[in-house]
Amino acid sequence: MAEHSTEKSPIESSDYEGLQLDTRAVDNTDKTLNPFQGYSDEKAYLSQTTEIRGPPRSNNSTATTSDGVGSAGTGDSSESSKPKKRICGLRRPSFWILFSVLLAIIIVAAIVGGLVGGRHSSAANSIAHDPASAAPSSPASNSSLSPVDVMVGSPLEVLSFSINGTGDHPASNQAFRLFYQSVNGNIKQMVCNGTLWHDATPIFTDAINNTGLAVMTYLNYNGVRQSSIFYIDISGYLREKRSSADQAWEPGSLYNQGFRTIGSGPLPAGANPTNDPSNNWDSYSLAAAYSPKFGSGSEGRLFYHSTAANGSQWVQELVWNQTADAWTNGQVITDAWPNSRLSAVVDDTHQMLRLFYSTGNLTLKESWTDINIQNATYRPGVQIPGILAHDDAAIATVAINGSVLVYHYAAVDIIGIRELKISGTPGSQNDQERYNLTEPVVAQPALVTQGRIAVYQPIGAAITNVSGLDPSTYVFFAEGTLNATSGYQRLMEVNKPSAELTWPPSSLGNAPGQVILPLGNQCANVTGAWLC
């Protein structure tokens, strides 16, 4: 059992002062943008804290009685000859003195108990991600107000990088940042420095519902760790925000460049409704990657779905030149399914950027480009039919030791998250790409139904990135047993050393080797509005 920490989150609450109310338009209820009807974020608060107030107190600090107890007075001398009234066998003055003493003792005990309880509550806000520390999940309540936090259509995006930790073990130098969209629309960040995950914290509020998310991290020209997060705002524009050294998120250079995506429409002719469960869908998926080794120097790449006025659709690449801090249009990819999820990874072993997506009919495809050649076109890589659970199923990728690991939900056999290992060199005749369809099972989250996934379920993946620490692979996923049409109750993590072939034992719900991440304050749907 992991010890709880009282260490405060490295993200200071002062970063969010002045951003308490979620001020997004409350009439953003287009069903093609929002999977749940009746959504209203009028009562959504960025801080997501609840103040509990007691009943109002009387202005009188002491009570008075009809016989004058507690009040000053000389009285008449004849009063001394009358029988003294008693309470519980005690003279009235004695009773009230004793009552006051007992009341004071009760108040002091309540204050001490509150302080102790507060410390325990603070300690519960972080959790170690040692698999052995995973606590069994509590049975789900049958109440329709069961708390949730992760929006059904939310992606999970993860950053992994090294820090100067405080411990002696290399694990203290490993950091993760996990991002997702809450059911009330806020974009949240969860911080892990070393081995402790801290409560998810809202970082901004202007993203459209079911926005795509993409992230990348790099060193700026001052040698400071900087991260960028990309999303789509409520008007459909691509936006970027940046944070240096875990400071507040500020607009990046993409923010005002006017790149816009048209995110929804009818499915293409001949679409299989089994593969695409909803006729109304969004194509807001994003993917991003960064490398200091691109042909023109340090660059970032951002991919998004673009739709022309005539209805033609493609995946557009945007190129960020770090020196100029400017974005320009890059290559286009024309065979992606319109609502496919996107995942991009830089393969340093083969000096390639590799993009994975669906082409329809549950088919996973790769397109790749040589990062050493400026403005190089994308060439086809592996194409595997029938492997995805849906055409818009989540895809997460990592590159390690010359291979790419693709995490996805399977369509057949054991339903759950699978690991597809792709070896070889894209485009090579002598070292052709190869894969094994006997994929190991990573986890079997709740809300999985035989044959198909009940609803869209997000996946994120990362590898450790610290000198002296054996490489390990981490997979993150959302699950829950209620509110399948609104949000997920839990975010989970499972990890293993990359050299091992099998993942820890898994079953529906929490299992040995899986860790429940601390979401912090969650939300409940009350009369059509999310209360958090």
Side-chain angles (χ1 to χ4, degrees):
M1 182 67 67
E3 294 183 359
H4 291 298
S5 168
T6 57
E7 173 189 357
K8 294 183 178 179
S9 170
I11 305 300
E12 297 293 340
S13 60
S14 59
D15 293 342
Y16 314 108
E17 290 179 0
L19 294 176
Q20 296 302 304
L21 281 174
D22 184 340
T23 56
R24 294 169 301 146
V26 297
D27 58 350
N28 178 23
T29 56
D30 186 341
K31 295 177 184 177
T32 64
L33 309 182
N34 185 347
F36 17 96
Q37 301 181 22
Y39 173 87
S40 170
D41 52 9
E42 296 177 82
K43 300 181 180 180
Y45 288 83
L46 180 59
S47 64
Q48 296 194 342
T49 58
T50 303
E51 182 179 2
I52 301 175
R53 300 181 183 272
R57 294 187 177 184
S58 167
N59 291 329
N60 300 323
S61 59
T62 60
T64 59
T65 64
S66 60
D67 62 357
V69 173
S71 62
T74 59
D76 189 270
S77 59
S78 62
E79 291 292 316
S80 60
S81 61
K82 295 181 180 179
K84 303 294 184 179
K85 295 183 179 180
R86 297 176 177 267
I87 302 177
C88 297
L90 298 174
R91 296 178 58 199
R92 287 195 173 193
S94 301
F95 171 83
W96 288 112
I97 292 172
L98 179 60
F99 175 81
S100 300
V101 172
L102 291 175
L103 182 61
I105 294 173
I106 292 172
I107 292 173
V108 171
I111 293 173
V112 172
L115 291 174
V116 173
R119 291 178 180 176
H120 284 288
S121 175
S122 174
N125 288 338
S126 55
I127 187 170
H129 65 168
D130 179 354
S133 69
S137 56
S138 300
S141 167
N142 291 326
S143 170
S144 61
L145 302 183
S146 180
V148 296
D149 196 46
V150 184
M151 183 179 284
V152 163
S154 172
L156 290 180
E157 290 294 321
V158 189
L159 291 175
S160 172
F161 52 89
S162 61
I163 58 174
N164 293 322
T166 58
D168 296 329
H169 194 277
S172 66
N173 299 323
Q174 173 64 47
F176 293 105
R177 302 290 183 267
L178 178 65
F179 303 88
Y180 67 93
Q181 187 172 33
S182 178
V183 290
N184 67 353
N186 295 336
I187 303 302
K188 284 188 166 184
Q189 174 184 230
M190 192 178 294
V191 172
C192 177
N193 290 332
T195 59
L196 287 178
W197 284 100
H198 298 273
D199 277 0
T201 306
I203 55 176
F204 55 85
T205 68
D206 60 332
I208 198 167
N209 296 327
N210 296 329
T211 179
L213 293 176
V215 293
M216 63 186 190
T217 187
Y218 45 90
L219 297 180
N220 63 21
Y221 283 107
N222 294 320
V224 176
R225 171 68 56 184
Q226 185 165 289
S227 300
S228 291
I229 183 169
F230 306 94
Y231 63 100
I232 298 168
D233 74 3
I234 58 176
S235 299
Y237 287 97
L238 289 171
R239 301 300 191 193
E240 173 195 9
K241 288 189 177 175
R242 297 176 184 171
S243 172
S244 297
D246 281 330
Q247 299 303 305
W249 292 84
E250 304 290 346
S253 60
L254 179 69
Y255 197 89
N256 292 316
Q257 289 199 229
F259 293 108
R260 191 174 187 182
T261 178
I262 301 175
S264 59
L267 286 171
N272 185 337
T274 302
N275 298 345
D276 296 279
S278 174
N279 289 327
N280 291 324
W281 51 270
D282 66 80
S283 56
Y284 292 136
S285 181
L286 304 173
Y290 172 87
S291 176
K293 303 176 182 178
F294 278 107
S296 58
S298 298
E299 287 184 352
R301 302 291 173 94
L302 177 65
F303 301 89
Y304 71 97
H305 287 277
S306 183
T307 305
N310 63 4
S312 60
Q313 298 167 319
W314 66 93
V315 171
Q316 178 69 54
E317 176 193 50
L318 295 179
V319 178
W320 177 56
N321 183 296
Q322 187 173 8
T323 302
D325 196 12
W327 292 86
T328 55
N329 280 314
Q331 302 296 320
V332 297
I333 296 168
T334 58
D335 60 346
W337 192 247
N339 64 340
S340 168
R341 305 290 162 164
L342 308 173
S343 185
V345 63
V346 173
D347 176 2
D348 287 321
T349 300
H350 298 108
Q351 294 291 284
M352 294 177 178
L353 173 60
R354 304 169 73 168
L355 178 70
F356 293 85
Y357 52 91
S358 168
T359 59
N361 295 318
L362 310 181
T363 298
L364 176 70
K365 184 176 179 180
E366 171 195 16
S367 289
W368 60 273
T369 188
D370 189 331
I371 65 175
N372 297 302
I373 302 175
Q374 191 172 1
N375 298 322
T377 58
Y378 283 82
R379 301 172 61 184
V382 295
Q383 183 165 313
I384 310 172
I387 193 173
L388 299 176
H390 289 149
D391 286 326
D392 65 345
I395 305 168
T397 56
V398 296
I400 185 169
N401 298 329
S403 297
V404 171
L405 303 177
V406 181
Y407 297 95
H408 65 96
Y409 278 94
V412 294
D413 300 327
I414 298 176
I415 308 302
I417 300 174
R418 297 295 195 91
E419 179 186 70
L420 175 69
K421 183 177 181 178
I422 302 175
S423 304
T425 305
S428 172
Q429 294 297 321
N430 298 323
D431 184 26
Q432 295 183 7
E433 287 187 277
R434 53 199 177 272
Y435 52 86
N436 185 359
L437 285 178
T438 307
E439 305 171 278
V441 176
V442 178
Q444 293 178 264
L447 279 183
V448 175
T449 59
Q450 185 64 33
R452 290 290 180 265
I453 308 304
V455 292
Y456 169 77
Q457 290 181 277
I459 308 173
I463 56 173
T464 53
N465 188 24
V466 171
S467 176
L469 188 65
D470 290 337
S472 292
T473 308
Y474 287 73
V475 174
F476 305 88
F477 58 92
E479 70 170 12
T481 54
L482 288 178
N483 299 302
T485 59
S486 56
Y488 293 105
Q489 297 161 302
R490 290 186 296 273
L491 278 180
M492 308 291 292
E493 169 213 302
V494 61
N495 66 77
K496 72 173 182 64
S498 300
E500 293 186 6
L501 299 179
T502 58
W503 288 82
S506 179
S507 61
L508 288 177
N510 191 35
Q514 297 181 10
V515 176
I516 301 176
L517 302 185
L519 292 175
N521 293 327
Q522 294 174 275
C523 305
N525 193 320
V526 180
T527 63
W530 287 106
L531 299 181
C532 303

